[in-house]
Amino acid sequence: MIDILLVDDQKILLEGLRKIFEPAPDIAVCATCALAELAEEACLRYRPDLVLMDICMESRTSGIRICRRLKERFPAIRVVMMTGMSELVFVGWSRDAGADSFIYKEASGEAFLDCIRRTMAGEHVFPVIRGRDTFGAAEASLTERELEILQLVCQSLSREEIAARLGIAKRTVNFHIANMLEKTAHKSIVGLAVEAAEKGLTSMETQNECERDDTAMP
């Protein structure tokens, strides 16, 4: 039997995962935890085989930091990180923190069961990341400055705000945006920004959202 500790601040998700695991004859939820800070104490008390933990929670620290602590303190416990945010950078952060596997919350129930079983069997299950460096149907490469501007677009900054942030003229921002659209064949900067978000370009913004006080994620 695989005993699992669920760590997530969303009650509806905890209930949903319980329903997924209940029919499985080889998996049982031994405890749930709504605060990342209590995960270590829960591991001491319940001695789970595997911890399934969210990355960004309403707490003073991140799941990534707790993952690192758990792997240092309980090396035999497997840790699977999960997130509902389409940020590719989380995959790298999870690996660096020592996570055994990684799964997105929108995955099917079967995918969760498969990930847990394979992880307990000694596999490391991580999504395959492809195509991060090129954009659009033409698979165009962007310059460092263009990527910098695109990241700020992803953070919902206006062109005036981007110009002020980078210390350049607004017409220069317009020039770079027009250039990006021409190279990628996107009809609007919004479409390009959506693709960039899917490829993890919003990582800096997301990292700031997940940090609390001085608790940097990695």
Side-chain angles (χ1 to χ4, degrees):
M1 181 67 69
I2 302 172
D3 289 323
I4 299 179
L5 168 65
L6 300 179
V7 184
D8 195 292
D9 59 358
Q10 296 181 21
K11 185 177 180 180
I12 189 170
L13 180 72
L14 293 177
E15 293 175 350
L17 289 172
R18 273 187 178 277
K19 290 181 179 179
I20 289 174
F21 299 142
E22 276 176 4
D26 57 336
I27 296 175
V29 177
C30 63
T32 61
C33 186
L35 291 175
E37 295 92 336
L38 299 180
E40 289 181 80
E41 182 180 337
C43 284
L44 278 172
R45 180 175 181 181
Y46 298 103
R47 296 293 177 178
D49 299 303
L50 182 145
V51 175
L52 181 58
M53 180 164 52
D54 191 16
I55 290 178
C56 287
M57 291 176 277
E58 293 296 327
S59 58
R60 288 179 57 82
T61 189
S62 71
I64 294 293
R65 172 163 285 202
I66 296 301
C67 173
R68 181 175 287 109
R69 292 179 188 168
L70 293 180
K71 295 304 291 185
E72 290 174 352
R73 190 172 182 183
F74 311 101
I77 295 178
R78 305 287 205 277
V79 178
V80 177
M81 301 304 300
M82 62 179 172
T83 183
M85 304 177 72
S86 57
E87 294 294 340
L88 299 181
V89 71
F90 285 162
V91 178
W93 284 349
S94 297
R95 283 183 184 276
D96 292 343
D100 296 281
S101 296
F102 181 102
I103 189 169
Y104 287 105
K105 288 183 179 179
E106 62 265 27
S108 66
E110 276 302 315
F112 270 94
L113 293 171
D114 180 65
C115 178
I116 287 169
R117 289 169 177 147
R118 290 170 61 190
T119 300
M120 288 306 301
E123 291 186 53
H124 297 290
V125 184
F126 286 88
V128 177
I129 301 174
R130 295 190 180 97
R132 252 188 105 174
D133 300 323
T134 58
F135 297 83
E139 295 187 348
S141 296
L142 302 182
T143 66
E144 184 176 349
R145 175 60 91 184
E146 287 169 345
L147 287 171
E148 194 174 20
I149 290 173
L150 184 54
Q151 186 177 46
L152 295 177
V153 171
C154 290
Q155 295 177 24
S156 300
L157 270 67
S158 67
R159 299 191 183 197
E160 290 83 2
E161 291 171 328
I162 292 172
R165 176 78 64 87
L166 300 179
I168 58 179
K170 180 184 174 183
R171 65 176 177 275
T172 304
V173 174
N174 291 336
F175 169 79
H176 285 300
I177 288 177
N179 228 18
M180 285 189 279
L181 294 180
E182 181 178 355
K183 287 199 293 187
T184 63
H186 271 284
K187 294 182 179 180
S188 72
I189 193 61
V190 174
L192 180 54
V194 169
E195 182 183 353
E198 292 175 349
K199 294 184 175 181
L201 196 65
T202 58
S203 59
M204 290 305 295
E205 180 190 25
T206 306
Q207 181 176 358
N208 290 335
E209 289 175 355
C210 292
E211 289 174 352
R212 296 291 184 272
D213 299 330
D214 60 347
T215 52
M217 183 162 287

